[in-house]
Amino acid sequence: MNADIFRCTTVMAQPPKRAAFKEVTVKTSRRAFTTGLSALALSATMLAVGSAAPASAAPLNAKLEAHHSGKCLDVAEASQADGAFVQQWHCYTTANQNWTLTSLDNGYYKVSADHSGKCLDVAEASQADGAFVQQWHCYDTPNQEWKLVQRPNGYFTLVARHSGKCLEVTGGNIYDGAGVVQQTCEADRPYQEWRLL
């Protein structure tokens, strides 16, 4: 009986149990440290994305909200037609206000309306200020390619590749139904600034 007690005491006091416990603790600490570094790297990536145009190759789906009015970029009456009027309208849940931004891997994006699959297009590839912006079937042309350029206030301008001009709500109008055009980019025009929602 005394031998059994002695044997039991010996098992409980064995150093390998304690060493094994320390090894597990070290592995857990390393895992926590690695997880912490991964989270830090992800945060840095998110900050980088926040300070520049979205850099992901995967398409991004978003609403585009005008800074000056708080209204969303909208295809009028949810039209499916080529040449349909693009305007600002109060934001609500509808596919004709949802846009897919698809990276072209050259710093530019195709911007297509979810309800129609058609692209944001400067009519007739015009270079002029005030040129009409519409939806049109997507094809390989620079008047359907847009660069998102970050402003210091966190908003973006959308710059047409073919002209270097910005997407603008006509004349800074704040009302529903105001059309969008391309216009020379200016730093003091909040009606050229957009936020992704």
Side-chain angles (χ1 to χ4, degrees), residues 20-21 27 38 41 86 88-89 104 106 128 132 135-136 143 171:
F21 178 75
K27 285 182 181 176
S38 297
V86 178
Q88 71 174 4
W89 198 266
L104 300 174
N106 60 3
F132 179 64
Q135 81 171 1
W136 198 267
N143 64 306

Side-chain angles (χ1 to χ4, degrees), residues 95-180:
N96 64 309
Q97 289 187 353
N98 291 342
W99 300 86
T100 298
L101 287 77
T102 305
S103 174
L104 300 174
D105 297 324
N106 60 3
Y108 289 86
Y109 292 82
K110 285 279 189 192
V111 181
S112 59
D114 283 6
H115 76 291
S116 65
K118 297 190 174 180
C119 283
L120 196 62
D121 172 284
V122 178
E124 300 177 1
S126 174
Q127 300 272 333
D129 278 343
F132 179 64
V133 176
Q134 61 190 359
Q135 81 171 1
W136 198 267
H137 65 271
C138 300
Y139 59 102
D140 187 18
T141 178
N143 64 306
Q144 290 185 352
E145 297 177 9
W146 301 87
K147 180 181 280 187
L148 276 69
V149 179
Q150 177 117 38
R151 291 276 174 93
N153 59 8
Y155 285 82
F156 292 90
T157 56
L158 278 80
V159 180
R161 183 177 182 185
H162 76 293
S163 64
K165 298 187 182 216
C166 284
L167 183 69
E168 174 183 297
V169 177
T170 306
N173 194 313
I174 61 169
Y175 301 106
D176 282 348
V180 291

Side-chain angles (χ1 to χ4, degrees), residues 37-64:
L37 284 179
S38 297
L40 184 60
L42 181 59
S43 296
T45 302
M46 290 172 72
L47 283 172
V49 168
S51 63
S56 171
L60 172 68
N61 190 265
K63 289 185 180 296
L64 293 165

